[in-house]
Structures are given as structure tokens and as C-alpha cells.
Amino acid sequence: TGFTIITLASSNSLVFWALCGRYVLGHEAMRRMGTANVLIAGMRGLGVEIAKNVILSGVKSVTVQDEGLAEWMDFSSQFFLLASHLGQNRALSSLSQLSALNPHVHVSAHTGPLKETLLQQFQVVVLTDSSLDDQQRFGTFCHSNGIKLIVADTKGLCGQLFCDFGEEFEVLDTDGETPASAMIDDITKADPGVVTCIEQRHGFVDGSTVSLSEVCGMTKLNSYGPVDIKVLGPDSFSICDTSSFSEYKKGGVATEVKKSKILQFKPLDEALVDPELLVMTDYGKMTKHQTLHLAFQALHGFVKRVGRLPKPRSQSDAELLVAMVTELNKVSHLDQLDEDVVQSLSFTACGDLAPVNAFIGGLAAQEVMKACTGKFTPLQQWLYFDALECLPEGNGGEGEELTESTCSPRGSRYDGQTAVFGSGFQERLGEQKYFLVGAGAIGCELLKNFALIGLGAGEGGHITVTDMDSIERSNLNRQFLFRSQDIGVREKQKSEVAAQAVRVMNPNMNITAHQNRLDPDSEQVYGHTFFMGLDGVAAALDNVEARVYLDGRCVQHQRPMLEGGTLGSKGHTLVVVPHLTESYGPAKTGSQNAIPLCTLKNFPHRIEHTLQWARDQFEGLYKQAAEHVNLYFRDAAGFLERTLGRGEAEALEVLECVWGGVGRQRPQGWEDCVGWARRQWETLYNNNIAQLLHCFPSDQLTSSGLPFWSGAKRCPHPLTFDPSNTTHMDYVVAAANLYGQIYGIVGTRDSSAIRSILETVHIPAFTPKSTIKIHLTDKEMEEERESGHLDTGRLEELQKKLSSPPVNSAALQMHPIDFEKDDDNNFHIDYIVAASNLRAENYDIPTADRHKSKLIAGRIIPAIATTTAAVAGLMCVELYKLVQGHRKISSYRSSYINLAVQYCVLSEPLGPQRFTVSDRIEQKQRKEQRKVCSKKRELSGPHLQFASDVMPGLLEQEWALAN
């Protein structure tokens, strides 16, 4: 039949792999993915890149098809081919490695030709390395048979992508963003009624549909159903006719209702002649990409006529291709035909570059996921990409002239790259010394690209990679260099495993793996001598602070830096060139996104608040308390001295905590742990709420005569413990087990046994106190701490009690717990979900399921293979330019992509900020550009919020274009 199938058995649960994707795609989308069968034709570099990303995403099955045999030209981008595969079928050679990526996806290989009978077995078909005749033939068949078609192609430094999802394709969620919501401050009785929100920016746009809930007074709105709105201002919008409704009293939440959308696609042969279907990626290259649309068609004609692609740097071949494009333009009537682009395409079309394949492959795989799920907006319908600015700014750069001879194949794994840049450039790549910081999702993709392009793989070249993390199960769906057997192996951390994997891809790689954190403490390792010995640095980090530190080190030592980041379907890249481009820059304070302490403690109004509160409870009860006790046992006198030096307020909190771990409250057995958990429940969900209501009754008025409990202040109510309530018991079970763990006491999940213990637990009566003051703002809280109004007698008592540690302190050592989100059996997420949802119940906040709670409380930054592949590809495109030694800022690109809506913007970076240092040195200040930069903090919207939070160093032109 021409099929070979490999299915790998695995003890890992399918649930794990599904959860990885749900963080980005959601439950329904992952369910649809699990029923999709995908065919990917062509197993050169682009095809295997798409296959890798699709398999990691978790579809039902993937079939890879290729009739061709592996040759040296493939090795420049086909990362699953080994030297032993030369002369063997590419699909079969790649099969075992592809199958190992995800044990829950059935992977098969087809070595026969493509036929309509084969295509009928799949919901999605991807064509790579295909002829235009095949594209049109199979395009017509797929369109008429309801099969989604994606065509992807790369030729040297240029790429092409096309989608046809049929006559009617339903998009269930256009952008994947969390529905916007806003708390209501007022609703008028009018036609139309006007809603004013508490937040300064409600986040809705004209035409949005919202549902209203929790409205008091004008209660008919709660059951009115979705209503279309008109935005009147940043904090107000109009709704339906409310003139006949009751008067608005208080409360209410407006929540965006997502709408599905029907899109129509043209078949490929019709789309070929429709210039309106061209989606731009670089607004400075509109003419180039319009020309490329004709040039790719002409290239197919060239191959059909001559029997091969144009030879590298062949002037006669280039002239023929230009003539063919000119002939096509007699029908297309482009106003401006860029013949230089056609010539450059001809000179480089034989090339096969890993970074370009990574970018186009990432985009194409995301389109496969859209076709399978209806999640996110698909490409309509053509997209072109070129990185021709990677070519030498002169003919050959540093002394080498690019000719047919210097670009000819040499029977090397780099032949596909030499065809574009010449043999001299390949030698320079091999001599590079680079420092990669981070071996996570982007780091793995970068290392793969480094191995394929031969970075540091020559004489004198070297790659140093550092990452202090070990491999976790949640890494496997996007960090493709790792496998299930690597999990939990302490001696094989991320950097080590990744380095070993890329040595298999390219045995010539010179690479050293470190496990050091990059910070001031590691400057004895990564000091002046180390940085001065580098040619450049690549940052694959997951936090702003580390990026800022690394950027500072690069600026200090005048070394270029490549930087990239992702957040779900969004990504960015930045290249920093000394004295030429703007650097990443200092960190922007994140305090604007911090939740006020008084909100967490007394006035939560969103589930995010209760989840953060639950995380804080976890850290305080099960980590910090145990750490304090152990520090006390280690050096009691020194610990007391340091603690008292922090101020009396903090000292009282810490010493109370320590006394709880060494005094009479210390549990002696499992029954004590259960009793502690039950009393903790009573304190948190009944007593504390009763005390709050004693201080501020439900009918409390402010000094202005307005209800105290209004707006963002939700009036809470105490809970009564019920052992038959699942959430109540979930809290006790998790809290008791965690409490036992820090004392070395073994617990149980046996709910019936725990209920029996609970029957014997005494719950002290509680009476609210009038002397307790509850702070309304963080400022009040801070002033109270600084005022010194606290129980100094209790502080002195604790100091005296703890002045002499127990003689058996070694036996009393505690076991602090580090929060771990990925182990579902350790009670961590169990505790967070129960603690948060009980708190939400106190305040009538809609609860969150385990999946959402884990995402928020685990502070998980959603990542998917498609985005990381695309970002790493763009970073390595900039790497080519750095190695070329480009000195024109117009040659470089910063980028922002959002694959959910196929939004890709590449733009020239800003230059470095300049200063006047004396009257004799006058630098022209770029005031207008700086104004654009200042606008960044004012932009709003989900994708721009991502820019502000995750990409503070990203430059500004793309945001001006986006708006």
C-alpha cells in the first residue's frame, strides 16, 4: 500500500498532552483536534517542520508523504535526517523521530504518489515542495470535497503560504482572547440605557455583544440575554431600551459574548488572480510581495520548461525568470514590478534555509490547527515573506564575490545554505562563538536552527548554552528536543539534554551546556573575559528582569543580542546591534498590574483575586512558615536579631509563625493535622468574614451617604462547614495533607476516615471584636505598620519563649513545600482550587474549574510549538545579518506576530537614543520617533497589552501600523 505506521505505547496519560494545548486552544478546540486526520506532503525541511509542530499540537493522526530520497541538499534544514539516511526515502527516514514527539498521535508514512483517493482520507491536506499543476489539481479537488487545503513553499530567502478552507468555514473564536468584562457603576433608565463602568477602560469595542449579570434593581437585564452595545467612552457604553425597567440600585457585571463568524474561501486557481487576497507581513515591502506572487508562479513555469530550479547566481537563468514574470504581468497589470526581487529570487531559489522554513512552517502548522478546530482566524488567503536583506550589503561582504562557483554544491550538509550565501559565509558561521541563555521552548528551536546552519560548528567556533531548569512534563508539547524519558532525571537537565540532541543533528557542533542562572552571582563565570570572547548572544528567557540584565551585559561589552518571546499565539523578536539599534532597555515597572493588598485581603471581586489569595496562603502556610522554623533552629540568636531588625510589625508575624511550629500547636499525628485544617477553614471562611461584616455591616454607608458595599466592593457572607459539600472536604483533605507534609506526617485521601476525625474536632466559638481595624487601602495598611500600634507585649512574650531553642531541634526540622503545578497528586492544585473557590463563594464571585485555576495560579505562560518555531526562525534570520556584518539599520527587522489572527508585522528597528554631551557636539534629536515610543504606554487592547507587559524592548513602528 505504500504505508508504514508506527504507534508508540506510553504510560503517560492522554489527559496530560491535552492539557498542554488547552492553555492556548481551550477544551472544545482540543476535542476537535483529537478527531482530525492530517496529510503533509513533502518531507524536506519545510515539510518536517510543519509535521513536527502539528504532531506536537495533538491531532488524531498525521500521514507524511514523500517519494523522494534524502540527499545532502536536504540536510541544511531537515533536522530528522542522519548521514545514514542518504539515498533512503525521506518520509520513512523521518518517521521514527516524528512518532516519538507525541505518543498519542498516530504517525504513518506514504511513499507513493499523491492521488485523489489518498486525499479523501483526510480533513486537512498540506502541500509542500509541490508543482503549481499539482496545487491547482488538488486544490480543485479539495475545495469541491470539503477538504481544507494549505500550500506552503520556501525558496531560499523567500516563502509562500496559501489557505483554502472551503465555501463556508465557521470560525468559533476569532482571536482566542479572554472575553472582556467590566464591573458596572451605574445604568440609566433611557432609550438607549447608558452603562457606566467602575474601570477607567472597559475593553469593549463598537459592535461588541455583552451579557449583563448580578445587576441589583434593574434585574430584568440579568435575564435579557446578549445585547449589542455602542461604545460612548472608555468607561461607558449604551445598551437596549431600559426606560421601562426598574431603577438601577447597584452592582452588575458586563461580559463580552464571543460570536462565531463564517468565512468564504476561493479555490487556488481563482485565488491566483485575485490580488485582494494578499496579506502583508512587511508594509515596507508591498511591491516586493506583489511581485513575489507572480515570481513564484513563474518559478513553477521555469521548472516545467527547464527541468530544474534556476542555478545559484546564474545571470542567464535570472534573465529568463524576469522575462517570464514580465509576461505574467501583462495579465496582472501590477503598477510596479520589482525586477530586483525576481533576480534575487532566481539567484537564491535553490537554497533551503532552516530559519525561513521554521518561520513559514510555524505559520503553516498554525493554519492546520485552525482548520481542525475552528479556533482563531485563518489566513485569507495568500501570504509572502522575504528576507532578501540577509544577502551581503555589497556583492560578497567580507572579500568574497558570490558567483556560480562559490555557491555551487559541495556534497556537504550545508549545500542548501551555501547556495544562497556562498562557501565563505559558511566558514564564518562555523567560526562564531555564541552564548544562548535559556533552553526552553525558544531555546530548543534556536539550538535546532544553530545546528542546521552550522553556527559554531567549525574550527574555533563554539556555542555555550545555560539553563538551570530540569525537564518537566508540561515542556514536552513545545520543547521538541526533550522526551518523556528525560523527565525527573536530575543529572540530565534541559541544557544537557538539548546539547546532546543537537549533536545528533549535526555531529560537528561544538557546544557546552551549563546549569547556571544568569545574574550578578554568576559573573565570576560570565565575566568580562567571557563576554569579550563572544561574537553574539541569544536570549531565550521567560522573564523581563533576566532580559534586562542580559541586555545590560551586552551593552557593557558591546556585543549584539538576539531576543525573542512568546505568549500563546503571540510572539516578538528584537535584534540589538551595538551603536546601530536601540537596546532592549530598562524594565518597565509591573506595579500597575499588581493586585492591591487590601483587595486580596478584604475586597476581592474577580476570580484572579481569590486565586492570588490562595497562592499567598499556600506560600505562607506551607513554605515560609517551615523555612522560618528551620532558620530559627539553625541559629536561634542570629535569627531573632535579624527578625527584630525588620521592624516590630513584621517581627510579630514571623515569630508567631515560628512559635506555631515549635510550641504546643505543633501536630503530633494525623488527627492533629485534620483538626488544624478544619479550624483553618473556620477561620478563613466564617470567622474572618464575620469580623469584616461586624466592622462594615451590609447596610453600611460611607461619609457621603452612599452604600459602602457597592462598586468593586462585594458584600461577603460567612460559610457554614458542611462535610457533605465536595469543595469543603476538598479543602480539608488538601490542607491537612500539606500541613502533615511540612511536619513529616503521612496523611491520606480517605474522605470517610477524615470525616470520622472531623466529628471529634472542637471548633471554638467566635465573637467579633470591635477593637480590630480593617484597612480600606494599601496606604492605610502601610501607615498602620509604620505607626507602631501593635501588641508589643505579645512580641516580647514570643521573644522570651523563643530565646532558647528546644534541645531536640534536629528532630523538629520542617520540610518547606515549593509549589509545583504539574504534579496532580501532590495536593498543591487541589488546595489552590478549593481555597480559591471557597473564597469566591464568600463574595459571590463565579468560581473557576481546575483547568482555569491551574492556568492562573500556576502563573503559566501559555506556549505552543507553532509560535516558538516562527519566533526562533525570525531570530535566526537576523543572525544571518549579524554574521554578514550588516551596518545599515534598514537591513534589520524587529517583528511582532499574532498567529491567532495571522498578524505579522516586520519593521525597521529604531536607532539608539542619542544625547548631547557638550556644546560642540550636537546630535539631531529624533523627537517624532520618541513621541511614537511614548505612545506605547497609552495603547490598549489584548495584543497591545501583551506588547506592554511582555515586550518592553520591542520597537514602535509596528504598533503605529497596527493602530
Short mmCIF file of all heavy atoms in Angstrom, two decimals, residues 733-766:
data_model
loop_
_atom_site.label_atom_id
_atom_site.label_comp_id
_atom_site.label_asym_id
_atom_site.label_seq_id
_atom_site.Cartn_x
_atom_site.Cartn_y
_atom_site.Cartn_z
N VAL A 733 -9.08 18.05 53.09
CA VAL A 733 -8.18 16.95 52.68
C VAL A 733 -6.84 17.51 52.23
O VAL A 733 -5.77 17.04 52.66
CB VAL A 733 -8.83 16.11 51.57
CG1 VAL A 733 -7.82 15.11 51.00
CG2 VAL A 733 -10.06 15.39 52.09
N ALA A 734 -6.86 18.52 51.34
CA ALA A 734 -5.62 19.08 50.82
C ALA A 734 -4.84 19.80 51.91
O ALA A 734 -3.62 19.61 52.06
CB ALA A 734 -5.92 20.03 49.66
N ALA A 735 -5.53 20.64 52.70
CA ALA A 735 -4.85 21.42 53.74
C ALA A 735 -4.23 20.51 54.78
O ALA A 735 -3.10 20.73 55.24
CB ALA A 735 -5.83 22.39 54.39
N ALA A 736 -4.94 19.47 55.20
CA ALA A 736 -4.42 18.55 56.22
C ALA A 736 -3.20 17.79 55.71
O ALA A 736 -2.21 17.62 56.43
CB ALA A 736 -5.51 17.58 56.65
N ASN A 737 -3.26 17.33 54.47
CA ASN A 737 -2.13 16.58 53.91
C ASN A 737 -0.90 17.47 53.74
O ASN A 737 0.22 17.05 54.04
CB ASN A 737 -2.51 15.95 52.57
CG ASN A 737 -3.20 14.61 52.73
OD1 ASN A 737 -2.55 13.59 52.89
ND2 ASN A 737 -4.53 14.63 52.71
N LEU A 738 -1.09 18.69 53.27
CA LEU A 738 0.04 19.60 53.11
C LEU A 738 0.62 19.97 54.47
O LEU A 738 1.85 20.06 54.62
CB LEU A 738 -0.41 20.86 52.36
CG LEU A 738 -0.76 20.67 50.88
CD1 LEU A 738 -1.44 21.91 50.32
CD2 LEU A 738 0.49 20.34 50.08
N TYR A 739 -0.25 20.19 55.45
CA TYR A 739 0.21 20.51 56.80
C TYR A 739 1.02 19.34 57.36
O TYR A 739 2.06 19.52 58.00
CB TYR A 739 -1.00 20.81 57.68
CG TYR A 739 -0.67 21.46 59.01
CD1 TYR A 739 -0.09 22.73 59.06
CD2 TYR A 739 -0.97 20.81 60.21
CE1 TYR A 739 0.20 23.33 60.29
CE2 TYR A 739 -0.69 21.40 61.43
CZ TYR A 739 -0.11 22.67 61.47
OH TYR A 739 0.17 23.27 62.68
N GLY A 740 0.54 18.13 57.12
CA GLY A 740 1.28 16.96 57.56
C GLY A 740 2.63 16.84 56.88
O GLY A 740 3.63 16.47 57.51
N GLN A 741 2.70 17.16 55.59
CA GLN A 741 3.95 17.04 54.85
C GLN A 741 5.05 17.91 55.43
O GLN A 741 6.22 17.50 55.49
CB GLN A 741 3.71 17.39 53.38
CG GLN A 741 2.95 16.35 52.60
CD GLN A 741 2.63 16.80 51.18
OE1 GLN A 741 3.28 17.69 50.63
NE2 GLN A 741 1.61 16.19 50.59
N ILE A 742 4.72 19.13 55.83
CA ILE A 742 5.79 20.01 56.34
C ILE A 742 6.30 19.55 57.70
O ILE A 742 7.40 19.94 58.12
CB ILE A 742 5.33 21.49 56.41
CG1 ILE A 742 4.17 21.69 57.37
CG2 ILE A 742 5.00 22.02 55.02
CD1 ILE A 742 3.76 23.15 57.55
N TYR A 743 5.53 18.69 58.38
CA TYR A 743 5.97 18.13 59.66
C TYR A 743 6.41 16.67 59.54
O TYR A 743 6.74 16.03 60.54
CB TYR A 743 4.85 18.23 60.69
CG TYR A 743 4.59 19.63 61.17
CD1 TYR A 743 3.50 20.36 60.68
CD2 TYR A 743 5.44 20.25 62.08
CE1 TYR A 743 3.26 21.66 61.11
CE2 TYR A 743 5.22 21.56 62.50
CZ TYR A 743 4.13 22.25 62.02
OH TYR A 743 3.90 23.54 62.45
N GLY A 744 6.40 16.13 58.32
CA GLY A 744 6.82 14.75 58.13
C GLY A 744 5.78 13.75 58.58
O GLY A 744 6.12 12.60 58.91
N ILE A 745 4.51 14.14 58.57
CA ILE A 745 3.41 13.25 58.99
C ILE A 745 2.68 12.75 57.75
O ILE A 745 2.28 13.54 56.89
CB ILE A 745 2.44 13.99 59.93
CG1 ILE A 745 3.16 14.41 61.21
CG2 ILE A 745 1.22 13.13 60.23
CD1 ILE A 745 2.33 15.31 62.11
N VAL A 746 2.51 11.47 57.63
CA VAL A 746 1.86 10.86 56.46
C VAL A 746 0.35 11.00 56.59
O VAL A 746 -0.23 10.68 57.63
CB VAL A 746 2.24 9.38 56.32
CG1 VAL A 746 1.52 8.76 55.13
CG2 VAL A 746 3.75 9.23 56.17
N GLY A 747 -0.30 11.47 55.51
CA GLY A 747 -1.74 11.65 55.51
C GLY A 747 -2.45 10.64 54.65
O GLY A 747 -1.90 9.58 54.33
N THR A 748 -3.67 10.97 54.25
CA THR A 748 -4.47 10.06 53.42
C THR A 748 -5.50 10.86 52.63
O THR A 748 -5.84 11.99 53.00
CB THR A 748 -5.21 9.03 54.31
OG1 THR A 748 -5.99 8.17 53.48
CG2 THR A 748 -6.14 9.74 55.30
N ARG A 749 -5.99 10.24 51.56
CA ARG A 749 -7.09 10.84 50.79
C ARG A 749 -8.44 10.22 51.17
O ARG A 749 -9.45 10.56 50.56
CB ARG A 749 -6.85 10.64 49.29
CG ARG A 749 -5.76 11.51 48.69
CD ARG A 749 -5.67 11.29 47.20
NE ARG A 749 -4.65 12.11 46.57
CZ ARG A 749 -4.84 13.35 46.12
NH1 ARG A 749 -6.05 13.90 46.24
NH2 ARG A 749 -3.87 14.02 45.56
N ASP A 750 -8.45 9.34 52.13
CA ASP A 750 -9.67 8.62 52.52
C ASP A 750 -10.65 9.59 53.16
O ASP A 750 -10.54 9.93 54.35
CB ASP A 750 -9.30 7.49 53.48
CG ASP A 750 -10.50 6.59 53.77
OD1 ASP A 750 -11.64 7.02 53.54
OD2 ASP A 750 -10.27 5.46 54.24
N SER A 751 -11.64 10.04 52.39
CA SER A 751 -12.58 11.06 52.90
C SER A 751 -13.42 10.55 54.05
O SER A 751 -13.72 11.28 55.00
CB SER A 751 -13.50 11.52 51.76
OG SER A 751 -12.76 12.17 50.75
N SER A 752 -13.81 9.29 54.02
CA SER A 752 -14.64 8.75 55.10
C SER A 752 -13.86 8.72 56.41
O SER A 752 -14.41 9.03 57.48
CB SER A 752 -15.14 7.35 54.74
OG SER A 752 -14.04 6.46 54.51
N ALA A 753 -12.58 8.37 56.33
CA ALA A 753 -11.76 8.36 57.54
C ALA A 753 -11.58 9.78 58.08
O ALA A 753 -11.60 10.01 59.30
CB ALA A 753 -10.40 7.72 57.25
N ILE A 754 -11.43 10.73 57.16
CA ILE A 754 -11.25 12.12 57.58
C ILE A 754 -12.55 12.65 58.19
O ILE A 754 -12.51 13.38 59.19
CB ILE A 754 -10.80 12.97 56.38
CG1 ILE A 754 -9.40 12.54 55.95
CG2 ILE A 754 -10.83 14.46 56.72
CD1 ILE A 754 -8.90 13.21 54.68
N ARG A 755 -13.70 12.27 57.66
CA ARG A 755 -14.98 12.70 58.23
C ARG A 755 -15.13 12.17 59.66
O ARG A 755 -15.67 12.87 60.54
CB ARG A 755 -16.14 12.21 57.37
CG ARG A 755 -16.32 12.98 56.07
CD ARG A 755 -17.66 12.65 55.42
NE ARG A 755 -17.77 13.31 54.13
CZ ARG A 755 -17.45 12.74 52.96
NH1 ARG A 755 -16.99 11.49 52.95
NH2 ARG A 755 -17.58 13.39 51.84
N SER A 756 -14.65 10.97 59.89
CA SER A 756 -14.73 10.41 61.25
C SER A 756 -13.90 11.24 62.22
O SER A 756 -14.33 11.50 63.36
CB SER A 756 -14.24 8.96 61.24
OG SER A 756 -15.06 8.16 60.42
N ILE A 757 -12.73 11.67 61.79
CA ILE A 757 -11.88 12.51 62.64
C ILE A 757 -12.55 13.86 62.88
O ILE A 757 -12.52 14.40 64.00
CB ILE A 757 -10.49 12.71 62.00
CG1 ILE A 757 -9.77 11.36 61.86
CG2 ILE A 757 -9.65 13.68 62.82
CD1 ILE A 757 -8.46 11.44 61.09
N LEU A 758 -13.18 14.41 61.82
CA LEU A 758 -13.82 15.73 61.94
C LEU A 758 -14.92 15.75 63.00
O LEU A 758 -15.18 16.79 63.62
CB LEU A 758 -14.40 16.14 60.59
CG LEU A 758 -13.40 16.54 59.51
CD1 LEU A 758 -14.12 16.80 58.19
CD2 LEU A 758 -12.61 17.77 59.93
N GLU A 759 -15.54 14.59 63.24
CA GLU A 759 -16.61 14.54 64.25
C GLU A 759 -16.08 14.80 65.65
O GLU A 759 -16.83 15.21 66.55
CB GLU A 759 -17.29 13.17 64.19
CG GLU A 759 -18.07 12.93 62.90
CD GLU A 759 -18.65 11.52 62.83
OE1 GLU A 759 -18.40 10.74 63.81
OE2 GLU A 759 -19.31 11.18 61.84
N THR A 760 -14.78 14.62 65.84
CA THR A 760 -14.19 14.82 67.17
C THR A 760 -13.50 16.17 67.31
O THR A 760 -12.99 16.48 68.40
CB THR A 760 -13.16 13.70 67.44
OG1 THR A 760 -12.04 13.86 66.54
CG2 THR A 760 -13.78 12.33 67.25
N VAL A 761 -13.46 16.93 66.24
CA VAL A 761 -12.73 18.21 66.27
C VAL A 761 -13.59 19.29 66.95
O VAL A 761 -14.76 19.47 66.59
CB VAL A 761 -12.35 18.66 64.84
CG1 VAL A 761 -11.70 20.05 64.87
CG2 VAL A 761 -11.40 17.65 64.20
N HIS A 762 -13.00 19.96 67.91
CA HIS A 762 -13.70 21.04 68.60
C HIS A 762 -13.44 22.36 67.88
O HIS A 762 -12.30 22.72 67.61
CB HIS A 762 -13.20 21.14 70.04
CG HIS A 762 -13.73 22.36 70.76
ND1 HIS A 762 -15.08 22.52 71.07
CD2 HIS A 762 -13.08 23.48 71.21
CE1 HIS A 762 -15.24 23.68 71.68
NE2 HIS A 762 -14.05 24.28 71.78
N ILE A 763 -14.52 23.08 67.56
CA ILE A 763 -14.42 24.38 66.91
C ILE A 763 -14.80 25.45 67.92
O ILE A 763 -15.97 25.53 68.34
CB ILE A 763 -15.34 24.47 65.67
CG1 ILE A 763 -15.04 23.34 64.70
CG2 ILE A 763 -15.19 25.83 65.00
CD1 ILE A 763 -13.63 23.35 64.14
N PRO A 764 -13.84 26.27 68.36
CA PRO A 764 -14.14 27.30 69.36
C PRO A 764 -15.16 28.29 68.84
O PRO A 764 -15.22 28.60 67.65
CB PRO A 764 -12.77 27.98 69.58
CG PRO A 764 -11.75 27.01 69.04
CD PRO A 764 -12.44 26.27 67.94
N ALA A 765 -16.01 28.77 69.76
CA ALA A 765 -16.98 29.80 69.39
C ALA A 765 -16.24 31.09 69.03
O ALA A 765 -15.18 31.39 69.60
CB ALA A 765 -17.95 30.03 70.54
N PHE A 766 -16.81 31.84 68.11
CA PHE A 766 -16.16 33.08 67.67
C PHE A 766 -17.08 34.26 67.94
O PHE A 766 -18.28 34.22 67.62
CB PHE A 766 -15.83 33.01 66.18
CG PHE A 766 -15.28 34.30 65.63
CD1 PHE A 766 -13.98 34.67 65.89
CD2 PHE A 766 -16.09 35.15 64.87
CE1 PHE A 766 -13.48 35.86 65.40
CE2 PHE A 766 -15.60 36.33 64.36
CZ PHE A 766 -14.28 36.70 64.63
#
